Amino acid sequence: MLAGSLMTVLISLTTAAAACMDGDSETCHTKYGTRFGHDLLPSFMLAEGYFNLNHGSFGATPRPVMEAQRRYQEQMEARPDQWFRDDYFMCVNEAREAIAKYVKAPSTDDIVLVENASGGVNAVLRSMVWKEGDVVLFLSSAYPMVKNTAAWLGESNPSVQVKEVQLGSDWPATGGQAVLKPLREALAENKGKTKLVIVSHITSVPAVILPVEDIVRMCRLSGVAGGDVQVLVDGAHALGQVPIDLVGLGDPDYYISNGHKWLFSPKGSEPNVISSSGKKDFVGRFSYTGSRDYTAFCAIKEAFKFRHHVGDEKIYEYTAGLARWAAKMLSRTWGTRVLVPLESQAFMINVQLPTNSTTVAMQLQERLKIDYDTYIVQHSLLWLP
């Protein structure tokens, strides 16, 4: 039974309204002056009059970052051999160093660049050595790409048991903590068999921040003699939306994220293939794949410069505050509610629409797009408590 339709309101730095964590427009404007809202829109390439309320799918790259990528492309075409043999490796190493520092990785050599989170998840699942009876667990809240890749693994390798952990009736209304009990039960049921657990840092639909540190600790404690349960964190939405401290999160075995969403880096970086470089170490296997355009991740450095110029902490505070203000305003106006506790959300807020009709909800999405040049993401859930 359809109990409610949800609009997932994804509001980013590129949106135009103004409010701070629990304040109003005037408070926010006074605090930040001309640094955010409409005043920052010229720094992006969004069409005039277009309101992008879905930053979470494809992001929006700032002009200075795009200009930097074009300069790298000109450098590549000016001296191709020098670029592919020397310059590229220098710039990608600098990008990895910047990322390692930003996410507090144990070492720069723990960081490699992949084209997107999908490529990273595939790189892990398709390169692990599996034995008869190994179990892979993933939550029912996982992104479809994760579910599809896990299903492929189970179909192509019959020795692996791929199991979906169903979340209970308290999901998502009680926030990220709701995943701990069913995951703990699944680990106990498969003790001694579970080789890999796949979890999101921030789920996509609905958007909920999960307690990754608690999950990693739980998996470590559930291991048996011969090795711990490994953890793969799908952090596609996390980089740039919440501060990341890989060591503080318990140093998960694999952490995969995207830069083109909330970090403001260009779209795409590097796929995981074996190339002519012949390098067999972890970094080397991901470092070179032939004559493709590598300038997207060279420009990651410029994305960090842009964030530093605007103020990284101010981006977190302003954007989360704007999303919370919008959620409260919409739920109050519609007489509905915010689906997930605000402490379990960051820039992506889930607000219930005042209708139980999926058809009406989809019409709203189309009307906003066609009549008001505004794009939102709307989804329906078959359950609401």
Side-chain angles (χ1 to χ4, degrees):
M1 176 179 180
L2 183 66
S5 298
L6 304 176
M7 179 178 71
T8 303
V9 184
L10 309 184
I11 301 179
S12 76
L13 184 64
T14 60
T15 58
C20 292
M21 193 60 71
D22 290 302
D24 55 23
S25 299
E26 185 60 32
T27 302
C28 191
H29 181 75
T30 301
K31 183 172 183 178
Y32 290 110
T34 61
R35 297 188 70 98
F36 291 93
H38 279 293
D39 297 308
L40 197 58
L41 279 175
S43 296
F44 292 82
M45 303 180 69
L46 298 169
E48 184 175 356
Y50 175 68
F51 289 90
N52 180 34
L53 301 186
N54 179 32
H55 197 84
S57 289
F58 307 108
T61 308
R63 290 183 185 276
V65 180
M66 292 297 297
E67 291 167 357
Q69 183 179 9
R70 292 191 183 102
R71 290 195 298 271
Y72 285 122
Q73 289 172 334
E74 292 174 358
Q75 181 180 348
M76 173 178 64
E77 297 301 334
R79 293 181 175 82
D81 274 274
Q82 180 175 323
W83 171 261
F84 284 105
R85 299 180 190 278
D86 297 305
D87 295 346
Y88 150 68
F89 291 99
M90 293 177 60
C91 85
V92 76
N93 286 337
E94 291 172 357
R96 291 193 305 108
E97 289 172 0
I99 295 171
K101 181 179 180 181
Y102 192 72
V103 301
K104 296 180 173 59
S107 167
T108 298
D109 287 342
D110 291 321
I111 302 295
V112 295
L113 297 177
V114 294
E115 192 162 14
N116 51 36
S118 300
V121 170
N122 274 265
V124 174
L125 292 184
R126 302 176 72 166
S127 63
M128 293 183 69
V129 177
W130 305 97
K131 66 179 186 297
E132 187 70 32
D134 281 341
V135 172
V136 175
L137 300 177
F138 66 89
L139 302 177
S140 59
S141 59
Y143 192 67
M145 172 274 297
V146 171
K147 295 183 178 182
N148 293 340
T149 308
W152 168 89
L153 175 65
E155 293 166 0
S156 61
N157 194 334
S159 64
V160 180
Q161 300 179 54
V162 178
K163 299 184 179 182
E164 180 172 346
V165 180
Q166 294 296 327
L167 300 182
S169 59
D170 55 345
W171 169 265
T174 56
Q177 296 295 317
V179 307
L180 295 178
K181 183 175 182 291
L183 181 57
R184 184 181 296 109
E185 293 173 347
L187 286 168
E189 182 181 339
N190 296 279
K191 191 171 183 64
K193 300 178 182 178
T194 304
K195 183 167 184 176
L196 181 69
V197 171
I198 309 173
V199 296
S200 301
H201 193 158
I202 303 178
T203 58
S204 178
V205 180
V208 183
I209 301 173
L210 300 190
V212 173
E213 182 179 358
D214 294 337
I215 292 172
V216 172
R217 185 184 304 111
M218 182 192 304
C219 292
R220 297 282 187 259
L221 293 175
S222 68
V224 295
D228 294 326
V229 176
Q230 297 187 37
V231 182
L232 165 59
V233 180
D234 175 10
H237 279 290
L239 188 61
Q241 185 175 173
V242 294
I244 298 175
D245 181 345
L246 291 181
V247 175
L249 290 175
D251 195 14
D253 300 275
Y254 312 97
Y255 190 103
I256 299 163
S257 190
N258 287 321
H260 69 271
K261 295 179 184 289
W262 305 102
L263 192 70
F264 305 129
S265 66
K267 299 167 183 62
S269 48
E270 184 176 0
N272 45 292
V273 301
I274 298 173
S275 76
S276 61
S277 69
K279 296 181 178 180
K280 296 182 179 180
D281 61 287
F282 175 63
V283 174
R285 287 183 181 275
F286 286 87
S287 64
Y288 183 77
T289 63
S291 54
R292 75 178 301 269
D293 189 344
Y294 299 98
T295 58
F297 48 79
C298 287
I300 289 174
K301 297 180 295 179
E302 309 303 323
F304 283 117
K305 290 180 181 178
F306 177 83
R307 294 181 66 90
H308 178 74
H309 172 73
V310 176
D312 199 68
E313 291 184 2
K314 292 180 179 179
I315 291 174
Y316 286 125
E317 181 181 356
Y318 176 87
T319 313
L322 179 58
R324 293 183 180 193
W325 173 85
K328 293 175 181 178
M329 182 272 291
L330 289 173
S331 59
R332 183 172 58 249
T333 301
W334 291 335
T336 60
R337 67 189 178 109
V338 180
L339 177 64
V340 180
L342 290 176
E343 60 269 20
S344 288
Q345 299 177 99
F347 303 171
M348 300 158 63
I349 306 290
N350 309 274
V351 181
Q352 183 183 3
L353 285 171
T355 178
N356 286 338
S357 170
T358 302
T359 301
V360 171
M362 293 304 296
Q363 288 174 347
L364 171 64
Q365 185 179 35
E366 283 299 301
R367 183 178 177 187
L368 286 172
K369 181 174 65 175
I370 295 172
D371 296 347
Y372 298 94
D373 204 12
T374 298
Y375 197 89
I376 65 168
V377 172
Q378 176 273 330
H379 296 278
S380 298
L381 293 184
L382 296 178
W383 169 89
L384 280 176

